[in-house]
Amino acid sequence: MPKINRYVDIDTVEREAKKDYIDRHSPFIHCESTATKGTAFAVTVKMGNEYSHPDDFDHYISSISLFNGETLLAKAEFMAGALGNEKGHQTVTFNIVPTGKLNLVAHSYCTKHGVWESDPVVVTVN
């Protein structure tokens, strides 16, 4: 089982290099706080908030997965060069159909630094 790295608030980190490392590897979930049962609901996962991630042949984000608790809802895979071999924020929008309360967590996989997990996002489903 690979080690899962988790985001830490970069405002609590002193060294700029450490802030960059943590932020650019962390997935951030962006969505509304409420959804309608049985209706498509957009969830966007963006890599990094303030800092962008490399897109090199040997160092890139190869996948982003979205979970509801322990259930995998969706997964996107990327190849090196998907961002034009430039630093960037790999971003994907998943459209899911909720059936009950959502406890969303995203995982990303960096080919050089392993698995990273987002902070959980709770969505109320009416």
Side-chain angles (χ1 to χ4, degrees):
M1 177 73 159
K3 175 186 175 199
I4 295 179
N5 301 287
R6 289 182 174 78
Y7 178 75
V8 244
D9 183 354
I10 62 171
D11 290 335
T12 64
V13 178
E14 290 184 28
R15 290 186 11 239
E16 189 68 22
K18 187 73 171 172
K19 288 181 182 186
D20 180 352
Y21 175 76
I22 293 168
D23 184 82
R24 69 182 161 140
H25 286 101
S26 298
F28 291 87
I29 297 174
H30 301 277
C31 64
E32 298 295 326
S33 60
T34 59
T36 303
K37 183 177 182 178
T39 302
F41 178 70
V43 179
T44 298
V45 181
K46 176 183 171 190
M47 292 305 303
N49 192 32
E50 296 182 33
Y51 300 88
S52 54
H53 192 278
D55 183 38
D56 301 326
F57 177 72
D58 64 341
H59 185 197
Y60 64 98
I61 300 299
S62 69
S63 67
I64 297 174
S65 302
L66 181 66
F67 292 85
N68 181 24
E70 295 181 3
T71 303
L72 177 64
L73 297 176
K75 183 176 183 176
E77 295 186 352
F78 309 98
M79 301 301 294
L83 296 173
N85 297 109
E86 300 288 332
K87 277 189 158 188
H89 296 279
Q90 194 62 268
T91 305
V92 63
T93 299
F94 299 112
N95 290 297
I96 60 171
V97 178
T99 57
K101 181 179 176 183
L102 297 171
N103 186 17
L104 301 174
V105 173
H107 283 183
S108 63
Y109 182 75
C110 170
T111 58
K112 197 170 192 178
H113 299 105
V115 178
W116 289 76
E117 184 174 274
S118 72
D119 285 338
V121 172
V122 175
V123 176
T124 304
V125 177
N126 301 315

